[in-house]
Amino acid sequence: FTSSKQITFTGNQDSIVQDVHSGWADVGFIRTDMIERSVANNITKWEYFRVLGSIEDPEFPFAHSTPYTPEWPLSSFAHVPPE
């Protein structure tokens, strides 16, 4: 992070979208569908955003730049039975 002037953790994905939209932040990391949801609710417009490293997939309706990952992954200790 030597080339960054500041790194801020908002803890709120809606705030990240608003911060990039307003120009307060240059970059934001958000979950899939956050921009589409904000556009649908007339909070912002796509013209304020660019998905870096966008992955094209006609079977997935949202812009994304990473492989599919479950939003709520589950894990357990080895001694916990699978059922």
Side-chain angles (χ1 to χ4, degrees):
F1 298 112
T2 58
S3 62
S4 299
K5 291 183 181 180
Q6 179 178 332
I7 297 174
T8 303
F9 296 90
T10 66
N12 181 312
Q13 303 233 341
D14 289 320
S15 294
I16 296 169
V17 172
Q18 292 170 3
D19 289 348
V20 172
H21 169 102
S22 69
W24 191 87
D26 295 323
V27 175
F29 296 89
I30 54 173
R31 63 177 262 182
T32 302
D33 91 344
M34 288 300 299
I35 298 172
E36 288 89 350
R37 190 182 306 186
S38 294
V39 169
N41 290 323
N42 294 317
I43 295 169
T44 191
K45 295 180 181 178
W46 257 110
E47 64 194 53
Y48 294 103
F49 301 92
R50 178 170 46 123
V51 178
L52 303 177
S54 181
I55 298 172
E56 298 296 325
D57 183 347
E59 295 181 19
F60 192 71
F62 305 112
H64 63 288
S65 61
T66 58
Y68 303 128
T69 304
E71 290 186 38
W72 300 103
L74 301 174
S75 62
S76 68
F77 289 107
H79 69 275
V80 176
E83 32 324 301

